[in-house]
Amino acid sequence: MDAQKILLEKIKQYDFALKELNLYLDTHPNCRRGLSMFQKYKKLREEALNEYNEKFGPITPEQNNSTQHWTWIDDPWPWERR
C-alpha cells in the first residue's frame, strides 16, 4: 500500500473513532476518559489531514491553502483517488 492510501486509511480510522466517541459522549457527557480520547483522536485527525493536504492536495474544498491557485480542481478528484 502506498503512502497516500495509508494516510487516507488513518484519516478514515480517526473519523470512525471520533464518531463512536461522539455517540458515547452523548450519553456519558461527564466521562473524562471519553473526553480525553475524543481530544486525542481529534488532534490525530487534524494532523493527518494537514499532512495529507500538504503531500497530496485537499480532500475537501475548505482545505485549499493556496492563495495563488484553486487547488481543489486539480486532478485527481478525491473520489477518484484509490
Side-chain angles (χ1 to χ4, degrees), residues 60-73:
T60 63
E62 297 84 23
Q63 294 170 329
N64 183 73
N65 289 331
S66 175
T67 58
Q68 304 297 317
H69 175 69
W70 183 244
T71 57
W72 174 247
I73 64 166

Side-chain angles (χ1 to χ4, degrees), residues 2-3 10 19 23 35-36 44 50 53 64 71 74 80:
D2 67 17
K10 280 185 184 180
K19 186 62 172 173
L23 294 171
L35 288 167
S36 176
L44 288 170
N50 288 339
N53 194 10
N64 183 73
T71 57
D74 294 345
E80 295 175 331

Side-chain angles (χ1 to χ4, degrees), residues 38-78:
F38 186 87
Q39 292 303 319
K40 172 187 170 184
Y41 285 105
K42 180 180 167 185
K43 182 179 181 202
L44 288 170
R45 180 183 182 274
E46 182 179 324
E47 290 169 355
L49 279 173
N50 288 339
E51 181 181 349
Y52 190 96
N53 194 10
E54 289 174 18
K55 291 181 178 179
F56 308 110
I59 296 176
T60 63
E62 297 84 23
Q63 294 170 329
N64 183 73
N65 289 331
S66 175
T67 58
Q68 304 297 317
H69 175 69
W70 183 244
T71 57
W72 174 247
I73 64 166
D74 294 345
D75 289 331
W77 291 94

